[in-house]
Amino acid sequence: MSARPSQHQASALEQALAMLAPPGLLVGCRRIETGDARHILPAESETIQSRTAAARDASGAGRLLARRLLRQLGYDGPAIPRGKAGEPVWPAGVAASIAHDADFAIAVAARSETMRGVGVDIEPALPLPPELEPVVLNSRDRLAGCDPAIAGKIAFAAKEAAYKASFPLDGEVLGFEDIAVDLPAGIVTLSNGRCIGTRISITSHILALAFIPADAG
């Protein structure tokens, strides 16, 4: 039986995420607890009610984190419902993102005058299932310098984060084939031409951060 994830691990992941963050971007990490679904507000529950108990706990943990960050930005704990595409709907003037795996939830947030868009993803640092590699990877991906055993999972995380950063701005539903990762350059390029900064941390987990500064074109 595997050991239960510890709060120490959550703190270490938060520190790793903070190291990736550009100035002005707030970050948080929380170990998902049984019962974290209680942190889902009534206005949010209407859009999340069809999910499993574990998924609701993850959503509650992520929203609890996000509201803590939003309070630091001057917002008084607003509801964060899901939109029609399943995306979190943030208050005006905020760029933010939530992600989780089975054990940990993470969140990032910044004012819109600092970041136009942000996205995060967290994945266990394990290989991508072989049958998914042709789906996730394409000939435009540049993954030099990373462990080849988990290169596919790194690309997966970077593309997930980039999609989250771009969707509120472009409203485009993208597939993995629409996103190209250039890890040495720290850039993700979308099929619509948008370029997004990306930073990766690898420990027990892969943390992927994607960001579009307010002064980006």
Side-chain angles (χ1 to χ4, degrees):
M1 181 179 294
S2 59
R4 185 172 182 268
S6 68
Q7 189 54 48
H8 175 74
Q9 286 177 283
S11 297
L13 288 170
E14 182 169 303
Q15 291 175 12
L17 188 57
M19 292 290 291
L20 299 179
L25 184 65
L26 304 179
V27 310
C29 179
R30 174 182 172 83
R31 182 181 63 190
I32 299 168
E33 304 281 359
T34 300
D36 271 345
R38 70 184 184 277
H39 300 299
I40 298 173
L41 300 180
E44 300 165 344
S45 185
E46 296 174 2
T47 65
I48 301 173
Q49 58 187 349
S50 63
R51 307 188 73 189
T52 66
R56 286 176 62 82
D57 283 342
S59 292
R63 280 162 172 77
L64 176 65
L65 276 175
R67 275 191 283 275
R68 288 175 179 171
L69 301 183
L70 293 177
R71 288 191 184 97
Q72 293 180 55
L73 296 176
Y75 293 81
D76 188 19
I80 308 167
R82 297 175 75 203
K84 292 182 178 179
E87 80 285 6
V89 178
W90 302 100
V94 167
S97 183
I98 300 172
H100 67 83
D101 68 353
D103 299 314
F104 299 101
I106 59 174
V108 298
R111 293 188 178 276
S112 296
E113 58 261 31
T114 301
M115 292 287 164
R116 294 183 63 203
V118 295
V120 288
D121 193 39
I122 179 171
E123 303 288 340
L126 300 171
L128 194 68
E131 65 272 16
L132 289 184
E133 288 206 359
V135 177
V136 172
L137 300 175
N138 62 63
S139 61
R140 294 171 290 119
D141 292 324
R142 299 289 180 265
L143 305 175
C146 66
D147 182 349
I150 58 171
K153 184 67 77 64
I154 293 170
F156 178 95
K159 293 185 182 192
E160 286 285 313
Y163 177 70
K164 292 179 181 180
S166 70
F167 186 81
L169 300 176
D170 302 330
E172 294 185 27
V173 176
L174 303 174
F176 292 110
E177 70 278 6
D178 298 313
I179 307 172
V181 179
D182 188 335
L183 285 184
I187 294 173
V188 176
T189 304
L190 309 186
S191 56
N192 64 11
R194 184 182 290 282
C195 292
I196 302 174
T198 187
R199 294 175 181 175
I200 304 291
S201 173
I202 305 170
T203 55
S204 61
H205 289 70
I206 298 165
L207 298 173
L209 174 66
F211 56 94
I212 305 168
D215 57 2

